[in-house]
Amino acid sequence: LSQRRLLSHPQPRASSAMLGLGGAVVLAAAPPPGGEGPQPGREVFAEKFAADSAEAGLSRALTEQRRRAEKLFAEESWDEALDAYQAMASSAVELSDRASEAIAVLRMADCLSKPDEIDVELVCGMYRHAGDAAQEVGDANVRFLALCGCAQIRRSCRMFQRSEKLWEAAIDMASESGNPEHSVFAKSQLAMTLLQDPDESNLDVVDESKDTVGHVSASGDAGTVHLHGGISIRCQRALKLLERTVVELPHSASTAQQVSARLNFAAALASQNGPQSKRKAEQQMVVALELLEAAGQCDPKHQQSIEASLLELYEENTWLADGNAEAGGRISKLRAKQKASRVTVEQLVSDRGKPVDPDERYLYEKAAWAAQKLEAMKISSGANDDSDSDIDSAVLARPRGRGWQK
């Protein structure tokens, strides 16, 4: 029986690939019973699949964190947005996503810059970190926003010299990236920084015609002042920058950007005492109003603010309307609109506490009217005690005379 089994399962013949040295037969080791043995390729695939699944999960979490953080930031919930962006930054670091990390750190710095008291160096350090990360991935927009954020922080802390250098760096960056809107914004902010510098808080010297003939400014030495001819150099530079922002603004710019550029230029011109500056300021404000009216659907409060500034300019410089019928008509129109839109304090106080719903407001006002009517009837009944028409009187009405009881 054993011989039959051996014959029914003959041994394989040795091929040339199975012959070892000296002609010895080399047979492949049989797999152990109950399994197929180790397979390194399958283990590597499983590990790679698990890693890819984990990375995909982190990517989905990063997307959700960013969406939530942006929503909170738009709602101005600074503390909650800060926590959300911090979680987003952690996920970005784990994924080695420098672009998302730059955005998260930038927004974290924005959230930390909102309170009245801030850690200036911490916030500026975060802006620098965001700018460095954005530079690695070539994100010029985030780099520009990081520079602007740091420059604004320095200016708000009255570090005008450092803010000026940062705005100049932002202008250079905008020029390199070829973004005209960034360039216009940085130039206008640099001009505002130059005008807000306390070194520019000097007195202008004018003549009888209100033309600026010089200015008195303080030097670095305490208590030392100097008289200079014309307006200061820094003020001249600021005005030139603001004028360039109006000229260089692209045609694709929105109405809000065009209006903002002209209003910034007009505000700087109006702060000067020369008649030419006042006239240019008037022109810029008029053009800004025309742009808003042509665009339509503008913010009424914004338009009213511009109209109030223009009317104030006319009232402080009445000579602007001398011999100018168009300016005179514009002043009359502005005064009429301001009078029509003005809400008295008494009306605001009387409307306080009233229902907003029309039906509820109607019932509220009806009840108030009834109460006032009843109060008036009580007062009149007290003044005419001998009248029998006062139905609300506390005593019975009696005819005149004394013989009515019989």
Side-chain angles (χ1 to χ4, degrees), residues 181-192:
E181 295 182 0
H182 284 179
S183 178
V184 166
F185 176 78
K187 288 176 182 178
S188 62
Q189 293 299 316
L190 174 58
M192 296 301 174

Side-chain angles (χ1 to χ4, degrees), residues 7 24 32 45 73 103 117 144 158 167 187 200 215 246 249 266 290 300 319 324 339 351 358 361 397 401:
L7 290 176
F45 173 77
F73 190 87
I103 295 174
E117 297 182 0
F144 179 80
R158 303 186 67 80
W167 286 122
K187 288 176 182 178
E200 287 300 300
H215 66 278
V246 175
L249 201 64
E290 291 176 351
W319 54 269
N324 191 341
K339 184 178 180 180
D351 289 342
R361 189 180 181 93

Side-chain angles (χ1 to χ4, degrees), residues 129-166:
H129 180 83
D132 294 340
Q135 186 175 6
E136 292 182 10
V137 296
D139 193 338
N141 185 56
V142 174
R143 284 184 62 200
F144 179 80
L145 293 177
L147 266 179
C148 294
C150 190
Q152 289 173 341
I153 291 294
R154 297 296 184 187
R155 183 176 61 191
S156 63
C157 296
R158 303 186 67 80
M159 302 177 183
F160 295 100
Q161 301 297 330
R162 300 179 68 175
S163 177
E164 180 182 345
K165 293 181 180 179
L166 289 170

Side-chain angles (χ1 to χ4, degrees), residues 356-378:
V356 179
D357 184 74
D359 296 335
E360 295 179 0
R361 189 180 181 93
Y362 170 75
L363 296 176
Y364 175 87
E365 293 178 350
K366 186 176 181 180
W369 176 85
Q372 293 175 0
K373 192 70 174 176
L374 180 62
E375 186 68 21
M377 294 174 65
K378 288 181 179 180

